[in-house]
Amino acid sequence: MKVNLLIFSILLGVFASNNVLAKPYSSILPAQFPVKKILITVSSQSTSGNADIYHVSLKGNGNSFLAKNNENQPLKISTDTLIELLNDFYSVHFFEIPDTFHIKKKAVLKDNGIVTTIVNKELAATDSKKVCVQLREYKKCVSVIDNQPAGISQIVNKIETLIESAGR
């Protein structure tokens, strides 16, 4: 009896608590998901002060927007365009690559005929873009630094072109 009362009290405390824990993102890429659960974001980040700072949110539920200069501008992005972008992410293996490209590798031929690989950790770039794709509870983000990785940088360019034409 006391055990049941204790369990009931704990459950009541969990449900009555004002502290709701955020649901963590899943690490498993879903094979199926409603179109309304697609979210693609691109956020520019700059410490140099001369680059435009913006945040693009492309949503499958139709509430897409561009946030720039403290203003939200609605964007009209078709479902077909959203699916095309998602296929672009699949084609560059977005979901399989590392989250950031701070490590640069370079092959060098030495005088003795041996090729060696040099690994350098780059300093944090002043201008970068964070690209995220969320499908249901799954979320993957990659930082694009100095236009690398190239495939993702091309998708960012495509999104920037889309928002320019959608904003007109």
Side-chain angles (χ1 to χ4, degrees):
M1 179 82 164
K2 289 182 181 183
V3 173
N4 288 341
L5 185 58
L6 177 64
I7 292 172
F8 176 75
S9 298
I10 291 171
L11 289 175
L12 183 61
V14 168
F15 289 116
S17 172
N18 290 334
N19 298 331
V20 178
L21 296 175
K23 189 175 187 180
Y25 292 111
S26 171
S27 61
I28 300 169
L29 182 64
Q32 294 182 0
F33 42 88
V35 70
K36 292 181 179 186
K37 293 293 185 173
I38 298 173
L39 172 61
I40 299 171
T41 61
V42 178
S43 299
S44 67
Q45 303 164 342
S46 176
T47 57
S48 65
N50 58 359
D52 285 338
I53 303 295
Y54 67 87
H55 176 83
V56 177
S57 184
L58 306 178
K59 299 179 177 186
N61 66 7
N63 295 327
S64 299
F65 65 89
L66 166 65
K68 189 174 179 182
N69 300 326
N70 295 324
E71 293 181 24
N72 283 356
Q73 174 185 350
L75 298 171
K76 293 185 181 191
I77 304 295
S78 71
T79 302
D80 290 342
T81 300
L82 199 59
I83 298 300
E84 180 183 326
L85 287 169
L86 189 55
N87 280 320
D88 290 342
F89 282 106
Y90 280 122
S91 71
V92 298
H93 303 278
F94 175 82
F95 303 101
E96 301 158 19
I97 63 173
D99 295 342
T100 188
F101 278 74
H102 287 293
I103 305 294
K104 300 285 183 175
K105 294 182 181 180
K106 181 179 177 182
V108 177
L109 178 61
K110 292 186 166 190
D111 292 336
N112 62 1
I114 301 295
V115 176
T116 187
T117 302
I118 299 173
V119 179
N120 292 321
K121 185 170 182 175
E122 298 290 316
L123 297 174
T126 57
D127 298 326
S128 64
K129 294 178 181 156
K130 185 174 182 178
V131 180
C132 298
V133 176
Q134 184 174 341
L135 311 171
R136 261 192 186 171
E137 293 83 23
Y138 173 86
K139 185 174 183 180
K140 167 77 174 178
C141 295
V142 173
S143 292
V144 177
I145 300 169
D146 293 331
N147 296 320
Q148 293 298 319
I152 298 171
S153 181
Q154 291 170 352
I155 296 171
V156 169
N157 292 339
K158 184 175 184 175
I159 290 171
E160 289 173 342
T161 302
L162 279 172
I163 62 174
E164 287 174 11
S165 62
R168 292 182 188 149

